[in-house]
Amino acid sequence: MGNALIIVDVQNDFCEGGSLAVSGGAGVAAGISRLLAAEPDRWDHVVATKDYHIDPGAHFGDPPDYVECWPRHCVVGTPGSEFHPDLETGRVEAIFHKGEYAAAYSGFEGHADDGECLADWLRRHDVDRVDVVGIATDHCVRATALDAAKEGFVTTVLLDHTAAVAPETLDVALRAMDGARVAMVGEAVIRTA
C-alpha cells in the first residue's frame, strides 16, 4: 500500500489579493512547493482539489455571512479559480473539482475530469495513508481530513502547510479532527489583524 499528499484548494481567491483571501495563503503555496522539492520521494502520489463554482446557489451570499454563505469565489473560468502561482503543480497527478452547483468543502465531494471521485482514485492507486495540506485549515482542510478518516485512510494534517481563517474556527477544527483520530503535525498558519 502507499501514501498520497492531498493539496486542498491552494487557489488565487483563497490567497492574499483574492476575493476570499486567507492570510498566509501565498506562503502556504510556496511552502508546499518547497516541501515537495525537498522530499520528492515522501509520497507515492500527489493530488489536488479545487473549489470550482459555476452556480453554487446559496453558497454565494450578498451580503455573505461567512458561515453558510460567502463572497463569490473560485468561479470557473476566472483567474481566482486557478492554482496560486507559487504552488508547483508538476507532481499533481489528478485534480478533483468540487462545488459546481452546491456548497462543497471536502475534496471527497469532488471529482476528476473523468468523473472519478477522490476516494475511488486513491483506492485504485493502492493508497492507504494520506497527508493533507492547503487552505483553509478550519474549513476545507478540516472537511477533507475528516472525510479521509471516515473513508478509512490513515490521515495526517501537516498543519505547518495550512492556513486558518480565525482562532475560534481553528480551535473547533482541531478538536473535530482530534476526535476523529486524524493525526496533526505542526501548527497552522494563522494571522489576525
Side-chain angles (χ1 to χ4, degrees), residues 17-58:
S19 65
L20 192 51
V22 178
S23 293
V28 164
I32 294 168
S33 296
R34 285 191 300 272
L35 180 64
L36 286 168
E39 301 186 51
D41 299 322
R42 182 169 173 179
W43 295 281
D44 300 308
H45 302 283
V46 178
V47 298
T49 70
K50 273 189 173 183
D51 248 21
Y52 205 67
H53 298 312
I54 296 171
D55 181 9

PDB file of all heavy atoms in Angstrom, residues 17-58:
ATOM      1  N   GLY A  17      -5.041  38.935  -1.818  1.00  0.00           N
ATOM      2  CA  GLY A  17      -5.496  39.570  -3.052  1.00  0.00           C
ATOM      3  C   GLY A  17      -6.719  38.923  -3.664  1.00  0.00           C
ATOM      4  O   GLY A  17      -7.340  39.484  -4.565  1.00  0.00           O
ATOM      5  N   GLY A  18      -7.108  37.740  -3.186  1.00  0.00           N
ATOM      6  CA  GLY A  18      -8.271  37.042  -3.724  1.00  0.00           C
ATOM      7  C   GLY A  18      -9.555  37.500  -3.074  1.00  0.00           C
ATOM      8  O   GLY A  18      -9.554  38.216  -2.068  1.00  0.00           O
ATOM      9  N   SER A  19     -10.670  37.066  -3.630  1.00  0.00           N
ATOM     10  CA  SER A  19     -11.979  37.519  -3.153  1.00  0.00           C
ATOM     11  C   SER A  19     -12.367  36.930  -1.793  1.00  0.00           C
ATOM     12  O   SER A  19     -13.243  37.457  -1.117  1.00  0.00           O
ATOM     13  CB  SER A  19     -13.060  37.175  -4.185  1.00  0.00           C
ATOM     14  OG  SER A  19     -13.188  35.774  -4.313  1.00  0.00           O
ATOM     15  N   LEU A  20     -11.710  35.859  -1.378  1.00  0.00           N
ATOM     16  CA  LEU A  20     -11.978  35.235  -0.079  1.00  0.00           C
ATOM     17  C   LEU A  20     -10.632  34.832   0.530  1.00  0.00           C
ATOM     18  O   LEU A  20     -10.384  33.689   0.891  1.00  0.00           O
ATOM     19  CB  LEU A  20     -12.905  34.028  -0.253  1.00  0.00           C
ATOM     20  CG  LEU A  20     -13.525  33.407   0.994  1.00  0.00           C
ATOM     21  CD1 LEU A  20     -14.209  34.440   1.884  1.00  0.00           C
ATOM     22  CD2 LEU A  20     -14.512  32.315   0.612  1.00  0.00           C
ATOM     23  N   ALA A  21      -9.758  35.826   0.624  1.00  0.00           N
ATOM     24  CA  ALA A  21      -8.363  35.591   0.998  1.00  0.00           C
ATOM     25  C   ALA A  21      -8.207  35.141   2.442  1.00  0.00           C
ATOM     26  O   ALA A  21      -8.892  35.624   3.337  1.00  0.00           O
ATOM     27  CB  ALA A  21      -7.556  36.865   0.767  1.00  0.00           C
ATOM     28  N   VAL A  22      -7.279  34.210   2.638  1.00  0.00           N
ATOM     29  CA  VAL A  22      -6.863  33.753   3.955  1.00  0.00           C
ATOM     30  C   VAL A  22      -5.428  34.228   4.145  1.00  0.00           C
ATOM     31  O   VAL A  22      -4.559  33.917   3.321  1.00  0.00           O
ATOM     32  CB  VAL A  22      -6.942  32.216   4.057  1.00  0.00           C
ATOM     33  CG1 VAL A  22      -6.456  31.742   5.422  1.00  0.00           C
ATOM     34  CG2 VAL A  22      -8.361  31.734   3.786  1.00  0.00           C
ATOM     35  N   SER A  23      -5.190  34.985   5.204  1.00  0.00           N
ATOM     36  CA  SER A  23      -3.835  35.477   5.456  1.00  0.00           C
ATOM     37  C   SER A  23      -2.867  34.313   5.564  1.00  0.00           C
ATOM     38  O   SER A  23      -3.136  33.337   6.262  1.00  0.00           O
ATOM     39  CB  SER A  23      -3.792  36.295   6.747  1.00  0.00           C
ATOM     40  OG  SER A  23      -4.534  37.475   6.603  1.00  0.00           O
ATOM     41  N   GLY A  24      -1.756  34.427   4.863  1.00  0.00           N
ATOM     42  CA  GLY A  24      -0.771  33.358   4.859  1.00  0.00           C
ATOM     43  C   GLY A  24      -0.952  32.353   3.749  1.00  0.00           C
ATOM     44  O   GLY A  24      -0.142  31.436   3.601  1.00  0.00           O
ATOM     45  N   GLY A  25      -1.984  32.523   2.936  1.00  0.00           N
ATOM     46  CA  GLY A  25      -2.250  31.561   1.871  1.00  0.00           C
ATOM     47  C   GLY A  25      -1.123  31.449   0.856  1.00  0.00           C
ATOM     48  O   GLY A  25      -0.743  30.341   0.458  1.00  0.00           O
ATOM     49  N   ALA A  26      -0.572  32.574   0.433  1.00  0.00           N
ATOM     50  CA  ALA A  26       0.520  32.545  -0.541  1.00  0.00           C
ATOM     51  C   ALA A  26       1.740  31.853   0.044  1.00  0.00           C
ATOM     52  O   ALA A  26       2.442  31.108  -0.647  1.00  0.00           O
ATOM     53  CB  ALA A  26       0.856  33.964  -0.993  1.00  0.00           C
ATOM     54  N   GLY A  27       1.994  32.094   1.331  1.00  0.00           N
ATOM     55  CA  GLY A  27       3.102  31.414   1.995  1.00  0.00           C
ATOM     56  C   GLY A  27       2.902  29.918   2.057  1.00  0.00           C
ATOM     57  O   GLY A  27       3.862  29.145   1.936  1.00  0.00           O
ATOM     58  N   VAL A  28       1.667  29.495   2.254  1.00  0.00           N
ATOM     59  CA  VAL A  28       1.357  28.061   2.250  1.00  0.00           C
ATOM     60  C   VAL A  28       1.630  27.474   0.870  1.00  0.00           C
ATOM     61  O   VAL A  28       2.215  26.391   0.749  1.00  0.00           O
ATOM     62  CB  VAL A  28      -0.099  27.812   2.703  1.00  0.00           C
ATOM     63  CG1 VAL A  28      -0.563  26.403   2.352  1.00  0.00           C
ATOM     64  CG2 VAL A  28      -0.223  28.054   4.203  1.00  0.00           C
ATOM     65  N   ALA A  29       1.244  28.182  -0.183  1.00  0.00           N
ATOM     66  CA  ALA A  29       1.514  27.714  -1.550  1.00  0.00           C
ATOM     67  C   ALA A  29       3.005  27.490  -1.758  1.00  0.00           C
ATOM     68  O   ALA A  29       3.431  26.427  -2.231  1.00  0.00           O
ATOM     69  CB  ALA A  29       0.971  28.719  -2.565  1.00  0.00           C
ATOM     70  N   ALA A  30       3.802  28.481  -1.384  1.00  0.00           N
ATOM     71  CA  ALA A  30       5.254  28.373  -1.545  1.00  0.00           C
ATOM     72  C   ALA A  30       5.830  27.278  -0.650  1.00  0.00           C
ATOM     73  O   ALA A  30       6.737  26.537  -1.060  1.00  0.00           O
ATOM     74  CB  ALA A  30       5.904  29.718  -1.237  1.00  0.00           C
ATOM     75  N   GLY A  31       5.293  27.157   0.569  1.00  0.00           N
ATOM     76  CA  GLY A  31       5.785  26.136   1.497  1.00  0.00           C
ATOM     77  C   GLY A  31       5.524  24.724   1.004  1.00  0.00           C
ATOM     78  O   GLY A  31       6.377  23.838   1.155  1.00  0.00           O
ATOM     79  N   ILE A  32       4.364  24.496   0.414  1.00  0.00           N
ATOM     80  CA  ILE A  32       4.059  23.177  -0.147  1.00  0.00           C
ATOM     81  C   ILE A  32       5.026  22.865  -1.284  1.00  0.00           C
ATOM     82  O   ILE A  32       5.536  21.745  -1.396  1.00  0.00           O
ATOM     83  CB  ILE A  32       2.592  23.098  -0.609  1.00  0.00           C
ATOM     84  CG1 ILE A  32       1.650  23.190   0.597  1.00  0.00           C
ATOM     85  CG2 ILE A  32       2.338  21.808  -1.401  1.00  0.00           C
ATOM     86  CD1 ILE A  32       0.184  23.409   0.228  1.00  0.00           C
ATOM     87  N   SER A  33       5.313  23.853  -2.105  1.00  0.00           N
ATOM     88  CA  SER A  33       6.260  23.655  -3.208  1.00  0.00           C
ATOM     89  C   SER A  33       7.646  23.300  -2.681  1.00  0.00           C
ATOM     90  O   SER A  33       8.318  22.404  -3.213  1.00  0.00           O
ATOM     91  CB  SER A  33       6.330  24.913  -4.083  1.00  0.00           C
ATOM     92  OG  SER A  33       5.077  25.134  -4.702  1.00  0.00           O
ATOM     93  N   ARG A  34       8.083  24.003  -1.632  1.00  0.00           N
ATOM     94  CA  ARG A  34       9.396  23.694  -1.034  1.00  0.00           C
ATOM     95  C   ARG A  34       9.398  22.279  -0.454  1.00  0.00           C
ATOM     96  O   ARG A  34      10.383  21.542  -0.586  1.00  0.00           O
ATOM     97  CB  ARG A  34       9.744  24.708   0.050  1.00  0.00           C
ATOM     98  CG  ARG A  34      10.168  26.064  -0.500  1.00  0.00           C
ATOM     99  CD  ARG A  34      10.761  26.961   0.578  1.00  0.00           C
ATOM    100  NE  ARG A  34       9.847  27.242   1.672  1.00  0.00           N
ATOM    101  CZ  ARG A  34       8.979  28.254   1.680  1.00  0.00           C
ATOM    102  NH1 ARG A  34       8.906  29.084   0.642  1.00  0.00           N
ATOM    103  NH2 ARG A  34       8.192  28.431   2.722  1.00  0.00           N
ATOM    104  N   LEU A  35       8.303  21.899   0.196  1.00  0.00           N
ATOM    105  CA  LEU A  35       8.197  20.562   0.775  1.00  0.00           C
ATOM    106  C   LEU A  35       8.304  19.484  -0.304  1.00  0.00           C
ATOM    107  O   LEU A  35       9.042  18.503  -0.147  1.00  0.00           O
ATOM    108  CB  LEU A  35       6.862  20.437   1.522  1.00  0.00           C
ATOM    109  CG  LEU A  35       6.564  19.106   2.199  1.00  0.00           C
ATOM    110  CD1 LEU A  35       7.563  18.815   3.313  1.00  0.00           C
ATOM    111  CD2 LEU A  35       5.137  19.111   2.742  1.00  0.00           C
ATOM    112  N   LEU A  36       7.596  19.670  -1.401  1.00  0.00           N
ATOM    113  CA  LEU A  36       7.655  18.696  -2.497  1.00  0.00           C
ATOM    114  C   LEU A  36       9.049  18.603  -3.099  1.00  0.00           C
ATOM    115  O   LEU A  36       9.513  17.513  -3.451  1.00  0.00           O
ATOM    116  CB  LEU A  36       6.632  19.064  -3.578  1.00  0.00           C
ATOM    117  CG  LEU A  36       5.173  18.772  -3.223  1.00  0.00           C
ATOM    118  CD1 LEU A  36       4.234  19.446  -4.213  1.00  0.00           C
ATOM    119  CD2 LEU A  36       4.919  17.270  -3.185  1.00  0.00           C
ATOM    120  N   ALA A  37       9.736  19.748  -3.200  1.00  0.00           N
ATOM    121  CA  ALA A  37      11.092  19.750  -3.757  1.00  0.00           C
ATOM    122  C   ALA A  37      12.087  19.103  -2.798  1.00  0.00           C
ATOM    123  O   ALA A  37      13.001  18.378  -3.223  1.00  0.00           O
ATOM    124  CB  ALA A  37      11.520  21.179  -4.073  1.00  0.00           C
ATOM    125  N   ALA A  38      11.913  19.350  -1.499  1.00  0.00           N
ATOM    126  CA  ALA A  38      12.855  18.840  -0.503  1.00  0.00           C
ATOM    127  C   ALA A  38      12.693  17.349  -0.245  1.00  0.00           C
ATOM    128  O   ALA A  38      13.652  16.670   0.120  1.00  0.00           O
ATOM    129  CB  ALA A  38      12.685  19.609   0.809  1.00  0.00           C
ATOM    130  N   GLU A  39      11.471  16.854  -0.406  1.00  0.00           N
ATOM    131  CA  GLU A  39      11.197  15.447  -0.104  1.00  0.00           C
ATOM    132  C   GLU A  39      10.472  14.780  -1.273  1.00  0.00           C
ATOM    133  O   GLU A  39       9.315  14.367  -1.154  1.00  0.00           O
ATOM    134  CB  GLU A  39      10.355  15.349   1.173  1.00  0.00           C
ATOM    135  CG  GLU A  39      11.046  15.976   2.386  1.00  0.00           C
ATOM    136  CD  GLU A  39      10.279  15.755   3.659  1.00  0.00           C
ATOM    137  OE1 GLU A  39       9.911  14.589   3.941  1.00  0.00           O
ATOM    138  OE2 GLU A  39      10.057  16.738   4.383  1.00  0.00           O
ATOM    139  N   PRO A  40      11.148  14.650  -2.420  1.00  0.00           N
ATOM    140  CA  PRO A  40      10.464  14.158  -3.619  1.00  0.00           C
ATOM    141  C   PRO A  40       9.971  12.719  -3.522  1.00  0.00           C
ATOM    142  O   PRO A  40       9.064  12.334  -4.253  1.00  0.00           O
ATOM    143  CB  PRO A  40      11.531  14.292  -4.714  1.00  0.00           C
ATOM    144  CG  PRO A  40      12.839  14.297  -3.981  1.00  0.00           C
ATOM    145  CD  PRO A  40      12.569  14.946  -2.663  1.00  0.00           C
ATOM    146  N   ASP A  41      10.527  11.940  -2.611  1.00  0.00           N
ATOM    147  CA  ASP A  41      10.131  10.537  -2.503  1.00  0.00           C
ATOM    148  C   ASP A  41       9.204  10.262  -1.319  1.00  0.00           C
ATOM    149  O   ASP A  41       8.891   9.109  -1.024  1.00  0.00           O
ATOM    150  CB  ASP A  41      11.379   9.652  -2.385  1.00  0.00           C
ATOM    151  CG  ASP A  41      12.277   9.786  -3.602  1.00  0.00           C
ATOM    152  OD1 ASP A  41      11.735   9.905  -4.720  1.00  0.00           O
ATOM    153  OD2 ASP A  41      13.509   9.793  -3.428  1.00  0.00           O
ATOM    154  N   ARG A  42       8.760  11.317  -0.649  1.00  0.00           N
ATOM    155  CA  ARG A  42       7.945  11.127   0.558  1.00  0.00           C
ATOM    156  C   ARG A  42       6.565  10.552   0.244  1.00  0.00           C
ATOM    157  O   ARG A  42       6.022   9.791   1.038  1.00  0.00           O
ATOM    158  CB  ARG A  42       7.810  12.458   1.280  1.00  0.00           C
ATOM    159  CG  ARG A  42       7.037  12.394   2.571  1.00  0.00           C
ATOM    160  CD  ARG A  42       7.176  13.666   3.365  1.00  0.00           C
ATOM    161  NE  ARG A  42       6.324  13.691   4.533  1.00  0.00           N
ATOM    162  CZ  ARG A  42       6.292  14.694   5.402  1.00  0.00           C
ATOM    163  NH1 ARG A  42       7.073  15.741   5.224  1.00  0.00           N
ATOM    164  NH2 ARG A  42       5.485  14.652   6.443  1.00  0.00           N
ATOM    165  N   TRP A  43       5.997  10.924  -0.919  1.00  0.00           N
ATOM    166  CA  TRP A  43       4.653  10.461  -1.274  1.00  0.00           C
ATOM    167  C   TRP A  43       4.698   9.690  -2.585  1.00  0.00           C
ATOM    168  O   TRP A  43       5.380  10.074  -3.530  1.00  0.00           O
ATOM    169  CB  TRP A  43       3.697  11.647  -1.408  1.00  0.00           C
ATOM    170  CG  TRP A  43       3.503  12.359  -0.110  1.00  0.00           C
ATOM    171  CD1 TRP A  43       2.703  11.985   0.938  1.00  0.00           C
ATOM    172  CD2 TRP A  43       4.171  13.559   0.312  1.00  0.00           C
ATOM    173  NE1 TRP A  43       2.828  12.877   1.973  1.00  0.00           N
ATOM    174  CE2 TRP A  43       3.712  13.858   1.614  1.00  0.00           C
ATOM    175  CE3 TRP A  43       5.099  14.411  -0.286  1.00  0.00           C
ATOM    176  CZ2 TRP A  43       4.166  14.956   2.328  1.00  0.00           C
ATOM    177  CZ3 TRP A  43       5.551  15.512   0.417  1.00  0.00           C
ATOM    178  CH2 TRP A  43       5.082  15.772   1.717  1.00  0.00           C
ATOM    179  N   ASP A  44       3.914   8.625  -2.629  1.00  0.00           N
ATOM    180  CA  ASP A  44       3.787   7.864  -3.867  1.00  0.00           C
ATOM    181  C   ASP A  44       2.943   8.617  -4.892  1.00  0.00           C
ATOM    182  O   ASP A  44       3.140   8.469  -6.096  1.00  0.00           O
ATOM    183  CB  ASP A  44       3.132   6.505  -3.581  1.00  0.00           C
ATOM    184  CG  ASP A  44       3.948   5.683  -2.606  1.00  0.00           C
ATOM    185  OD1 ASP A  44       5.161   5.519  -2.848  1.00  0.00           O
ATOM    186  OD2 ASP A  44       3.378   5.223  -1.594  1.00  0.00           O
ATOM    187  N   HIS A  45       1.990   9.409  -4.389  1.00  0.00           N
ATOM    188  CA  HIS A  45       1.078  10.136  -5.270  1.00  0.00           C
ATOM    189  C   HIS A  45       0.793  11.513  -4.691  1.00  0.00           C
ATOM    190  O   HIS A  45       0.789  11.687  -3.468  1.00  0.00           O
ATOM    191  CB  HIS A  45      -0.244   9.373  -5.439  1.00  0.00           C
ATOM    192  CG  HIS A  45      -0.061   7.995  -5.978  1.00  0.00           C
ATOM    193  ND1 HIS A  45       0.186   7.751  -7.305  1.00  0.00           N
ATOM    194  CD2 HIS A  45      -0.066   6.778  -5.348  1.00  0.00           C
ATOM    195  CE1 HIS A  45       0.321   6.442  -7.487  1.00  0.00           C
ATOM    196  NE2 HIS A  45       0.173   5.838  -6.316  1.00  0.00           N
ATOM    197  N   VAL A  46       0.533  12.468  -5.578  1.00  0.00           N
ATOM    198  CA  VAL A  46       0.145  13.819  -5.180  1.00  0.00           C
ATOM    199  C   VAL A  46      -1.100  14.197  -5.981  1.00  0.00           C
ATOM    200  O   VAL A  46      -1.106  14.082  -7.211  1.00  0.00           O
ATOM    201  CB  VAL A  46       1.277  14.844  -5.440  1.00  0.00           C
ATOM    202  CG1 VAL A  46       0.833  16.258  -5.052  1.00  0.00           C
ATOM    203  CG2 VAL A  46       2.545  14.457  -4.693  1.00  0.00           C
ATOM    204  N   VAL A  47      -2.134  14.608  -5.264  1.00  0.00           N
ATOM    205  CA  VAL A  47      -3.366  15.061  -5.911  1.00  0.00           C
ATOM    206  C   VAL A  47      -3.740  16.421  -5.328  1.00  0.00           C
ATOM    207  O   VAL A  47      -3.191  16.849  -4.310  1.00  0.00           O
ATOM    208  CB  VAL A  47      -4.523  14.054  -5.721  1.00  0.00           C
ATOM    209  CG1 VAL A  47      -4.180  12.707  -6.361  1.00  0.00           C
ATOM    210  CG2 VAL A  47      -4.875  13.885  -4.254  1.00  0.00           C
ATOM    211  N   ALA A  48      -4.659  17.093  -5.985  1.00  0.00           N
ATOM    212  CA  ALA A  48      -5.094  18.409  -5.508  1.00  0.00           C
ATOM    213  C   ALA A  48      -6.596  18.544  -5.692  1.00  0.00           C
ATOM    214  O   ALA A  48      -7.202  17.872  -6.529  1.00  0.00           O
ATOM    215  CB  ALA A  48      -4.373  19.519  -6.271  1.00  0.00           C
ATOM    216  N   THR A  49      -7.171  19.426  -4.883  1.00  0.00           N
ATOM    217  CA  THR A  49      -8.588  19.751  -5.033  1.00  0.00           C
ATOM    218  C   THR A  49      -8.726  21.215  -5.406  1.00  0.00           C
ATOM    219  O   THR A  49      -7.835  22.021  -5.153  1.00  0.00           O
ATOM    220  CB  THR A  49      -9.380  19.496  -3.732  1.00  0.00           C
ATOM    221  OG1 THR A  49      -9.013  20.467  -2.747  1.00  0.00           O
ATOM    222  CG2 THR A  49      -9.137  18.090  -3.204  1.00  0.00           C
ATOM    223  N   LYS A  50      -9.854  21.524  -6.016  1.00  0.00           N
ATOM    224  CA  LYS A  50     -10.185  22.906  -6.369  1.00  0.00           C
ATOM    225  C   LYS A  50     -11.645  23.181  -6.072  1.00  0.00           C
ATOM    226  O   LYS A  50     -12.516  22.379  -6.436  1.00  0.00           O
ATOM    227  CB  LYS A  50      -9.986  23.159  -7.869  1.00  0.00           C
ATOM    228  CG  LYS A  50      -8.621  23.572  -8.295  1.00  0.00           C
ATOM    229  CD  LYS A  50      -8.671  23.996  -9.758  1.00  0.00           C
ATOM    230  CE  LYS A  50      -7.361  24.582 -10.208  1.00  0.00           C
ATOM    231  NZ  LYS A  50      -7.443  25.055 -11.616  1.00  0.00           N
ATOM    232  N   ASP A  51     -11.899  24.311  -5.407  1.00  0.00           N
ATOM    233  CA  ASP A  51     -13.247  24.862  -5.423  1.00  0.00           C
ATOM    234  C   ASP A  51     -13.504  25.232  -6.879  1.00  0.00           C
ATOM    235  O   ASP A  51     -12.624  25.823  -7.533  1.00  0.00           O
ATOM    236  CB  ASP A  51     -13.311  26.117  -4.541  1.00  0.00           C
ATOM    237  CG  ASP A  51     -14.147  25.916  -3.298  1.00  0.00           C
ATOM    238  OD1 ASP A  51     -14.340  24.758  -2.898  1.00  0.00           O
ATOM    239  OD2 ASP A  51     -14.609  26.914  -2.729  1.00  0.00           O
ATOM    240  N   TYR A  52     -14.673  24.918  -7.403  1.00  0.00           N
ATOM    241  CA  TYR A  52     -14.892  25.024  -8.851  1.00  0.00           C
ATOM    242  C   TYR A  52     -16.343  25.388  -9.096  1.00  0.00           C
ATOM    243  O   TYR A  52     -17.156  24.583  -9.539  1.00  0.00           O
ATOM    244  CB  TYR A  52     -14.547  23.661  -9.479  1.00  0.00           C
ATOM    245  CG  TYR A  52     -14.152  23.703 -10.923  1.00  0.00           C
ATOM    246  CD1 TYR A  52     -12.969  24.313 -11.325  1.00  0.00           C
ATOM    247  CD2 TYR A  52     -14.935  23.109 -11.890  1.00  0.00           C
ATOM    248  CE1 TYR A  52     -12.583  24.313 -12.651  1.00  0.00           C
ATOM    249  CE2 TYR A  52     -14.567  23.105 -13.221  1.00  0.00           C
ATOM    250  CZ  TYR A  52     -13.381  23.714 -13.595  1.00  0.00           C
ATOM    251  OH  TYR A  52     -13.005  23.729 -14.917  1.00  0.00           O
ATOM    252  N   HIS A  53     -16.674  26.624  -8.769  1.00  0.00           N
ATOM    253  CA  HIS A  53     -18.069  27.030  -8.745  1.00  0.00           C
ATOM    254  C   HIS A  53     -18.575  27.526 -10.098  1.00  0.00           C
ATOM    255  O   HIS A  53     -17.919  28.333 -10.756  1.00  0.00           O
ATOM    256  CB  HIS A  53     -18.271  28.128  -7.708  1.00  0.00           C
ATOM    257  CG  HIS A  53     -17.959  27.686  -6.308  1.00  0.00           C
ATOM    258  ND1 HIS A  53     -18.450  26.509  -5.770  1.00  0.00           N
ATOM    259  CD2 HIS A  53     -17.200  28.253  -5.335  1.00  0.00           C
ATOM    260  CE1 HIS A  53     -18.005  26.384  -4.535  1.00  0.00           C
ATOM    261  NE2 HIS A  53     -17.244  27.420  -4.243  1.00  0.00           N
ATOM    262  N   ILE A  54     -19.741  27.044 -10.460  1.00  0.00           N
ATOM    263  CA  ILE A  54     -20.467  27.540 -11.635  1.00  0.00           C
ATOM    264  C   ILE A  54     -21.676  28.326 -11.133  1.00  0.00           C
ATOM    265  O   ILE A  54     -21.768  29.525 -11.341  1.00  0.00           O
ATOM    266  CB  ILE A  54     -20.880  26.375 -12.563  1.00  0.00           C
ATOM    267  CG1 ILE A  54     -19.616  25.695 -13.120  1.00  0.00           C
ATOM    268  CG2 ILE A  54     -21.776  26.893 -13.697  1.00  0.00           C
ATOM    269  CD1 ILE A  54     -19.874  24.414 -13.879  1.00  0.00           C
ATOM    270  N   ASP A  55     -22.572  27.645 -10.453  1.00  0.00           N
ATOM    271  CA  ASP A  55     -23.719  28.304  -9.822  1.00  0.00           C
ATOM    272  C   ASP A  55     -24.043  27.541  -8.541  1.00  0.00           C
ATOM    273  O   ASP A  55     -24.949  26.699  -8.527  1.00  0.00           O
ATOM    274  CB  ASP A  55     -24.920  28.326 -10.766  1.00  0.00           C
ATOM    275  CG  ASP A  55     -26.124  29.032 -10.156  1.00  0.00           C
ATOM    276  OD1 ASP A  55     -25.975  29.648  -9.070  1.00  0.00           O
ATOM    277  OD2 ASP A  55     -27.213  28.963 -10.744  1.00  0.00           O
ATOM    278  N   PRO A  56     -23.299  27.833  -7.453  1.00  0.00           N
ATOM    279  CA  PRO A  56     -23.483  27.060  -6.232  1.00  0.00           C
ATOM    280  C   PRO A  56     -24.648  27.521  -5.361  1.00  0.00           C
ATOM    281  O   PRO A  56     -24.713  27.196  -4.180  1.00  0.00           O
ATOM    282  CB  PRO A  56     -22.151  27.244  -5.511  1.00  0.00           C
ATOM    283  CG  PRO A  56     -21.722  28.617  -5.917  1.00  0.00           C
ATOM    284  CD  PRO A  56     -22.176  28.775  -7.346  1.00  0.00           C
ATOM    285  N   GLY A  57     -25.565  28.282  -5.929  1.00  0.00           N
ATOM    286  CA  GLY A  57     -26.767  28.669  -5.211  1.00  0.00           C
ATOM    287  C   GLY A  57     -26.476  29.504  -3.982  1.00  0.00           C
ATOM    288  O   GLY A  57     -25.725  30.481  -4.044  1.00  0.00           O
ATOM    289  N   ALA A  58     -27.035  29.109  -2.851  1.00  0.00           N
ATOM    290  CA  ALA A  58     -26.938  29.883  -1.617  1.00  0.00           C
ATOM    291  C   ALA A  58     -25.538  29.895  -1.019  1.00  0.00           C
ATOM    292  O   ALA A  58     -25.298  30.583  -0.027  1.00  0.00           O
ATOM    293  CB  ALA A  58     -27.930  29.338  -0.593  1.00  0.00           C
TER     294      ALA A  58
END
